[in-house]
Amino acid sequence: MIQRLPSAYVDLEPLAAEWSLPTEPQRAQRHQMARYAELELLYSTLLPRMPALLDDLNQKTFDTYDDADRRLLWLALSFVEAAVAVERFQCSDMPPGAFEAERFHIGEKVGV
Amino acid sequence: MGNVDFATGAPLRSGTVPVRPYIDADYYEAERKRVFGRCWLNLAREEELPAPGDYLVKDLEVLETQVLLVRGDDQQIRAFHNVCLHRGNRLARDRCGNARGFMCNFHGWVYDTKGQLRELPDEDQFPHLDPEKIALKSLACHIWNGFVFVNADPEPQTSLAQFLGEMNGAFDGFPFADMQLTAFYHAEVNANWKLVGDALQEAYHAPILHRQTVADAVAGPDNPHCHLASMRLHGDHHGLSVHGNLHHQPTPIEQIAFDYSASPIYPAPAAPSDSQAPGVNPRRESAWIFDINVLFPNFHLDPSGTWYGTYHLWPLAVDRTRWEFRIYMNPPKNAGDMVAQEYTKVFGRFVQREDLSTVEATHEMLRSGALTELHLSAQEMPLLHSLEVLESYMQGRP
């Protein structure tokens, strides 16, 4: 089997398969498509792992990342999407009345 | 803060403003010419055009034109109406790129990056023309702190420096050029451009509209109504410093972001320093998050200590606006820093969607005609000031 996340994080592979996405527009779109239970799962699974995860990745500079490191970073960035939804709104997007996500455009040319 | 304008010492003013400028089609038509046709407008950062030949095409719907910004071989950035002088065809067809010149796709007239006509096919058939005297229609173009401004008035009434006035030196030393575009968000909003801008130049709304997001970071027991840390009027423009709650309790993701960021990020309090640009948090308040600077008419420049944001409110019609928001930050140093910046971006997106949530309904209700005036508190004086400046342009001030 090809190792797709660094070895200490292989148990996160099912989440990475869904959430390791390279750009902010892709992560935001995945967030918009998600059921709330998916966001809760991503949030509750990653939250206790984040300090060690970031400490590990911080050992490397970006130019020495391999594919597994990148996938782990992208998963951590998707965790942020889930965290805001869970901590602030307790729903998959925002309460009714917010400016609609579909009309709120995220620039394509910036990001990781 | 004290109830005074920090720039002049004058008392802050509350008052009423008329509804008509927000909804009246005739007013909007006059605004297009008298305000947007005469004021300096920010279109870009100079880092977007790093090399000779780099160009950008910018829509300026409010003036019914398209602007071609291009850096010449002499490194100067120039602005032209994106139109061929021959028969009026659109010249540059791509939105951006690098070119030695621009060839019109209709009959092949070619202009160089300084706008001068370089090739005139079948020149003999234009005996009335001297090709050396043909150049693209330019707009005045000047750069301030790396921000590229244009003025569509064929004879601008002021230089950019005169237009900026006391704002001119306020950001000296701010490291704009060290920061990079980290996020760009945009939306078409069904509301007057001033309603959109007004929602972004006061903090009175924060405890209510942002109760699920940023309220606790900017208000809190010491400042329950989120009074500004300071406010100052500078001619046509003004600056506000937004209070930060030093006792804010971060959420779990916020704590991670604050712990791992290389420098303070939104919505963390930003520590002011003496080396900071003089116009950024000029009172050096410690309970501070960021500033809002409204450069009349439609450009907001919002710096913190270690990041800045910009808003552009581009009118499309009396009741439609293209809202653009950009965040600039230092290049992330490592994964932790990048995750922290991502928190600013994602959290910021939701705060923005709250900010935009009221303006369309507001426009609809104002259009009903039920109200003829609106009531502004002293904390909302920036809105009053913006409308007073607007009205002075509408009255045709020299």
Side-chain angles (χ1 to χ4, degrees):
Chain A
M1 180 179 159
I2 301 169
Q3 182 178 308
R4 304 188 66 196
L5 286 172
S7 55
Y9 300 94
V10 288
D11 60 305
L12 300 177
E13 187 54 47
L15 284 172
E18 292 292 327
W19 290 101
S20 287
L21 297 165
T23 70
E24 185 189 0
Q26 288 172 306
R27 293 187 291 269
Q29 187 178 25
R30 183 66 185 83
H31 175 172
Q32 293 304 315
M33 291 166 48
R35 289 174 291 108
Y36 185 59
E38 289 183 274
L39 297 169
E40 278 187 308
L41 177 65
L42 176 60
Y43 177 70
S44 61
T45 308
L46 264 288
L47 181 63
R49 307 284 291 272
M50 282 300 286
L53 186 160
L54 293 178
D55 289 341
D56 283 350
L57 285 176
N58 278 357
Q59 300 300 312
K60 289 188 167 186
T61 56
F62 292 125
D63 59 349
T64 62
Y65 272 31
D66 59 24
D67 288 347
D69 298 324
R70 266 186 288 278
R71 288 189 82 239
L72 186 61
L73 175 60
W74 295 339
L75 180 62
L77 295 172
S78 276
F79 161 75
V80 177
E81 295 273 346
V84 174
V86 172
E87 293 181 359
R88 299 291 182 174
F89 302 111
Q90 297 84 48
C91 62
S92 57
D93 182 36
M94 290 178 82
F99 192 84
E100 300 94 317
E102 311 82 63
R103 298 171 59 206
F104 189 97
H105 302 292
I106 301 174
E108 296 285 343
K109 292 185 177 176
V110 292
V112 186
Chain B
M1 70 176 197
N3 279 323
V4 296
D5 170 3
F6 184 57
T8 65
L12 299 183
R13 291 178 290 131
S14 64
T16 58
V17 293
V19 167
R20 179 173 173 252
Y22 295 103
I23 57 168
D24 187 279
D26 293 336
Y27 196 96
Y28 173 72
E29 284 304 311
E31 244 177 8
R32 291 176 47 217
K33 297 178 184 68
R34 296 179 196 171
V35 178
F36 286 87
R38 294 180 58 199
C39 287
W40 288 91
L41 306 172
N42 173 250
L43 288 189
R45 284 285 308 168
E46 64 177 343
E47 292 88 3
E48 296 177 72
L49 303 153
D54 285 347
Y55 70 92
L56 292 172
V57 173
K58 292 282 184 174
D59 294 319
L60 211 51
E61 296 91 340
V62 65
L63 297 176
E64 296 180 327
T65 193
Q66 218 177 40
V67 178
L68 171 61
L69 295 174
V70 56
R71 189 184 286 273
D73 292 336
D74 57 357
Q75 295 293 339
Q76 187 177 335
I77 294 175
R78 294 176 177 82
F80 305 103
H81 292 278
N82 188 25
V83 57
C84 176
L85 270 73
H86 173 217
R87 298 264 296 277
N89 187 35
R90 179 170 292 162
L91 185 61
R93 287 171 292 159
D94 291 335
R95 304 292 301 182
C96 61
N98 181 277
R100 286 186 300 167
F102 301 93
M103 186 187 81
C104 178
N105 191 45
F106 199 175
H107 301 88
W109 287 33
V110 175
Y111 304 84
D112 66 19
T113 54
K114 293 181 180 175
Q116 177 63 44
L117 185 68
R118 285 297 172 196
E119 289 183 33
L120 175 53
D122 206 12
E123 181 177 331
D124 292 348
Q125 297 297 308
F126 293 92
H128 66 292
L129 288 185
D130 177 355
E132 292 190 0
K133 292 183 178 170
I134 294 181
L136 295 174
K137 295 291 183 189
S138 63
L139 295 86
C141 180
H142 283 286
I143 294 174
W144 170 75
N145 281 319
F147 294 97
V148 181
F149 283 77
V150 301
N151 191 314
D153 190 336
E155 295 179 6
Q157 303 294 304
T158 59
S159 68
L160 176 58
Q162 289 168 331
F163 178 74
L164 292 170
E166 296 163 57
M167 279 288 186
N168 212 22
F171 303 96
D172 288 356
F174 192 90
F176 292 110
D178 296 341
M179 299 182 187
Q180 64 182 18
L181 181 64
T182 307
F184 171 38
Y185 307 122
H186 57 102
E188 191 173 311
V189 182
N190 296 318
N192 184 266
W193 66 278
K194 297 184 293 295
L195 286 179
V196 184
D198 285 358
L200 305 168
Q201 59 165 326
E202 49 91 358
Y204 178 39
H205 68 274
I208 301 300
L209 186 64
H210 297 309
R211 56 193 174 276
Q212 285 183 275
T213 53
V214 79
D216 186 61
V218 296
D222 297 342
N223 188 1
H225 299 294
C226 201
H227 286 184
L228 295 163
S230 71
M231 186 190 309
R232 53 268 170 201
L233 306 187
H234 296 302
D236 290 353
H237 320 289
H238 49 251
L240 335 169
S241 293
V242 178
H243 176 83
N245 176 12
L246 296 174
H247 308 293
H248 170 53
Q249 294 298 314
T251 67
I253 178 58
E254 219 164 48
Q255 191 63 59
I256 291 169
F258 292 175
D259 287 347
Y260 281 87
S261 61
S263 52
I265 54 157
Y266 176 84
S273 75
D274 291 337
S275 62
Q276 203 163 284
V280 177
N281 185 10
R283 278 170 53 129
R284 302 297 190 246
E285 296 280 357
S286 57
W288 168 68
I289 287 195
F290 69 103
D291 282 0
I292 297 170
N293 295 282
V294 179
L295 276 61
F296 187 82
N298 71 328
F299 176 47
H300 294 207
L301 174 53
D302 296 358
S304 184
T306 50
W307 56 265
Y308 73 97
T310 63
Y311 292 100
H312 295 80
L313 299 322
W314 291 114
L316 303 176
V318 64
D319 56 358
R320 284 195 303 130
T321 302
R322 187 172 68 250
W323 167 93
E324 298 177 350
F325 176 50
R326 293 172 175 81
I327 304 172
Y328 297 81
M329 298 174 132
N330 294 311
K333 294 187 184 314
N334 52 38
D337 201 17
M338 185 176 284
V339 165
Q341 293 190 2
E342 193 77 2
Y343 177 68
T344 286
K345 293 158 62 178
V346 175
F347 182 65
R349 286 206 313 258
F350 289 93
V351 174
Q352 299 299 325
R353 286 175 57 198
E354 290 175 333
D355 277 326
L356 294 175
S357 71
T358 64
V359 292
E360 293 183 336
T362 298
H363 192 106
E364 279 186 32
M365 294 316 298
L366 293 184
R367 195 161 44 199
S368 74
L371 303 182
T372 57
E373 60 184 20
L374 307 174
H375 303 283
L376 302 178
S377 82
Q379 290 292 316
E380 297 169 294
M381 183 177 163
L383 285 66
L384 192 64
H385 182 239
S386 288
L387 269 187
E388 289 169 348
V389 173
L390 179 78
E391 192 58 29
S392 73
Y393 277 90
M394 294 294 277
Q395 296 300 325
R397 77 172 200 206

